Amino acid sequence: MSEPNVPPLPGPRRLSVRHETRYAYDDPVEVAHHSAWLRPRETPWQAVRQWRLEIEPAPDAPVQESRDAFGNWRHGFGHDQVHDHLTVCSSFQVELTTPAMMGPDTDAPSPEWESVVKSLSYRAGQQQPEAAAFVPGTEFAPRHAGLAAFGRDLFVHGRGLAELAWELMLRVHAHMRYQPHSTDVATSAVQALRQRSGVCQDFAHLMIGVLRSHGLAARYVSGYLLTHPPPGQARLVGADASHAWVAVWCPVQGWLALEPTNAMRAGQDHVTLAWGRDYADVAPLRGVIRGGGQAVPQVAVTVAPVDDDSATAGPPQP
């Protein structure tokens, strides 16, 4: 089954996003050091406005801002004073235009997948494309015989890469059941394939692992999804969650952004936060603390159209 013709979305879309993480520690925290990947990327299809990072209690020193190896914004902060809670909130607006190179273009020829694999392979004396960094397996999206077997019949000789990637996305979507709390942040693509359930992170890791197992480049994209409440119902503040999808490298069309959780291309409902090899490269917030006991983070994400007077966001969709 090939992708249906999808008319371009009219005009830009403006969205507001608020991502809040709260920790209420069982025991006092004596020392803490954190890194955050919460500032969204500027891209040809996404302009970022009014980004703010609020941290309570305030860090002991100014927040350190830098770029990681993939060009994502990274922020580091710490506390040397004893504290019993932590709240980190990122808020911003984005203007999204139709992402011309974020999905298979049915009007443009796509190179055969074998030729793309060849272009990504190391050859002495020749410079590899930047996308080659996304071919090797990682802990969560490895190159694995079981992952290769899952999609092997799709990788027929001479098949165009865009069509192949679309069909693989549909297969991952059909194979997996969206089931919150059935996995955790340490679940790998191999485990997700075996248990056939998970969340958006697992759908993305599975698709990436299959592509890499056949020698193709694929990256993990973290971000947010604008969801839509049922007709007549108001949007709910803080009910959304962060999201993830896949970008597949194609020398002709660029990075093809596909979302296996909902079996669709990433478009003007998708806000790009960061990208890397897998979730471990772009976890929104992580750190090392001394003390604290057991503390489960409470995360609330709100995504809403800027022209929506309620400024609220709808319930999450698988």
Side-chain angles (χ1 to χ4, degrees):
M1 177 181 177
S2 299
E3 181 198 16
N5 290 320
V6 180
L9 294 172
R13 166 172 283 173
R14 294 183 64 195
L15 300 176
S16 65
V17 179
R18 180 181 174 87
H19 182 165
E20 183 175 275
T21 304
R22 293 184 178 184
Y23 287 89
Y25 300 113
D26 293 338
D27 299 317
V29 174
E30 300 174 7
V31 177
H33 297 281
H34 298 277
S35 294
W37 279 258
L38 287 169
R39 178 173 174 175
R41 298 184 70 118
E42 293 273 355
T43 72
W45 60 88
Q46 175 173 285
V48 181
R49 305 284 185 267
Q50 304 173 9
W51 178 78
R52 294 180 59 190
L53 182 65
E54 300 171 277
I55 304 169
E56 203 282 319
D60 297 325
V63 174
Q64 296 180 340
E65 183 176 83
S66 62
R67 298 270 194 168
D68 67 12
F70 305 106
N72 304 303
W73 288 105
R74 175 176 54 201
H75 294 82
F77 60 92
H79 297 87
D80 293 327
Q81 303 296 321
V82 175
H83 55 286
D84 60 8
H85 70 282
L86 175 67
T87 301
V88 180
C89 182
S90 168
S91 59
F92 58 91
Q93 293 184 8
V94 290
E95 184 172 283
L96 299 166
T97 55
T98 303
M101 302 302 283
M102 291 182 69
D105 184 345
T106 54
D107 296 326
S110 176
E112 297 176 359
W113 71 272
E114 296 104 324
S115 68
V116 178
V117 171
K118 185 177 180 180
S119 72
L120 292 166
S121 301
Y122 173 76
R123 282 170 286 178
Q126 294 191 14
Q127 184 177 1
Q128 288 184 289
E130 183 180 356
F134 298 92
V135 177
T138 59
E139 179 180 0
F140 298 138
R143 300 181 70 160
H144 186 274
L147 299 177
F150 174 73
R152 181 166 289 123
D153 61 303
L154 300 177
F155 290 78
V156 298
H157 175 67
R159 191 171 200 184
L161 176 57
E163 180 187 5
L164 187 159
W166 181 262
E167 293 293 327
L168 177 60
M169 177 195 69
L170 296 180
R171 176 167 297 186
V172 170
H173 177 78
H175 179 82
M176 296 284 286
R177 181 176 72 258
Y178 185 85
Q179 186 174 350
H181 312 300
S182 61
T183 57
D184 57 34
V185 294
T187 301
S188 72
V190 177
Q191 293 169 308
L193 175 64
R194 185 182 305 120
Q195 71 180 50
R196 305 189 64 164
S197 64
V199 293
C200 57
Q201 172 181 310
D202 304 297
F203 283 66
H205 282 155
L206 175 54
M207 183 171 172
I208 292 169
V210 174
L211 290 163
R212 289 178 179 168
S213 296
H214 288 275
L216 293 166
R219 65 190 182 194
Y220 180 98
V221 185
S222 71
Y224 308 100
L225 176 64
L226 173 67
T227 57
H228 303 276
Q233 294 189 22
R235 298 180 182 274
L236 303 177
V237 175
D240 283 357
S242 56
H243 202 54
W245 54 94
V246 178
V248 186
W249 171 246
C250 179
V252 174
Q253 286 107 332
W255 288 97
L256 311 178
L258 301 174
E259 207 242 271
T261 308
N262 288 295
M264 62 190 295
R265 341 189 228 187
Q268 287 180 302
D269 286 343
H270 295 75
V271 179
T272 300
L273 183 58
W275 57 61
R277 295 164 299 181
D278 61 21
Y279 172 81
D281 284 334
V282 293
L285 184 65
R286 60 180 175 224
V288 177
I289 64 174
R290 185 167 68 198
Q294 298 294 321
V296 178
Q298 302 297 316
V299 180
V301 174
T302 301
V303 183
V306 171
D307 58 358
D308 184 346
D309 292 336
S310 63
T312 56
Q317 297 179 169

